[in-house]
Amino acid sequence: CELSLANGGVFDLGKVAAKDLATEHPTNLKEMNTQLTVTCEAATLMGIEFKDNRAGSSYFDQANTFGLGLINGNQKLGHVGTTLTSYMADGTRAFGIHSMDGGLTWAAGGGAKPGSLSSVYTAAPMTPVPVQVMTAKMIIDASIAPTKGLTLTDEVPIDGSITLTMRYL
């Protein structure tokens, strides 16, 4: 199977001026999305694993969001929430499910959290179904931490990094 993102997996959040950031609460950046596609040679039982390559740097809710990297050595720049929606499995509307225990148990929703595994089902029971072609819309929702906790004297990179891996179930 092959996993691909319509934009090659790059989300350019652009430059944000320090003067445009909130002091007391996170500043939400523009929501972005892309098409995610998994294509297999035959119907295959699979899931998508999400890994935070900037683990420990999420400003908000480390269990549910991905980090945007550290600046000045130890300041958490922000966080990224991700969601999968609008699933299709072999041309049929499908529903997202996710597992936080490697696929032993599944819960409803397009959860895309650090360490999670996402898959699809088409009818009860809520367990993954084999698919040859699965598509979904991947939404990226990033925020910059309140500036009261950041030293922003120089330009800093917004440096989030998430690895998506297709896993056979």
Side-chain angles (χ1 to χ4, degrees):
C1 295
E2 182 179 306
L3 185 148
S4 63
L5 295 170
N7 63 345
V10 176
F11 293 88
D12 185 353
L13 298 171
K15 289 189 177 193
V16 181
K19 67 178 181 54
D20 295 333
L21 299 173
T23 305
E24 299 295 324
H25 56 82
T27 301
N28 296 328
L29 302 180
K30 177 182 72 169
E31 182 179 286
M32 302 179 83
N33 66 72
T34 193
Q35 184 79 16
L36 177 145
T37 304
V38 175
T39 306
C40 303
E41 290 183 18
T44 304
L45 198 56
M46 62 85 205
I48 301 167
E49 181 180 65
F50 292 81
K51 178 185 175 203
D52 187 354
N53 298 320
R54 304 295 179 258
S57 72
S58 177
Y59 168 75
F60 176 77
D61 192 2
Q62 300 255 351
N64 292 310
T65 62
F66 300 87
L68 286 180
L70 297 174
I71 62 170
N72 305 311
N74 63 354
Q75 297 173 354
K76 296 175 181 181
L77 181 60
H79 62 275
V80 177
T82 60
T83 307
L84 297 176
T85 65
S86 306
Y87 291 92
M88 295 293 287
D90 297 328
T92 302
R93 183 170 181 241
F95 307 95
I97 52 178
H98 65 278
S99 174
M100 293 304 296
D101 58 14
L104 296 174
T105 59
W106 295 90
K113 304 171 185 176
S116 72
L117 192 60
S118 293
S119 193
V120 294
Y121 75 102
T122 53
M126 196 180 349
T127 57
V129 296
V131 295
Q132 185 170 0
V133 177
M134 189 274 296
T135 62
K137 179 167 79 170
M138 182 175 180
I139 300 170
I140 300 291
D141 188 17
S143 296
I144 303 296
T147 59
K148 71 179 179 185
L150 301 174
T151 304
L152 297 172
T153 53
D154 296 313
E155 188 173 300
V156 297
I158 300 174
D159 189 33
S161 177
I162 304 167
T163 298
L164 280 63
T165 305
M166 196 286 307
R167 298 277 183 220
Y168 296 103
L169 301 178

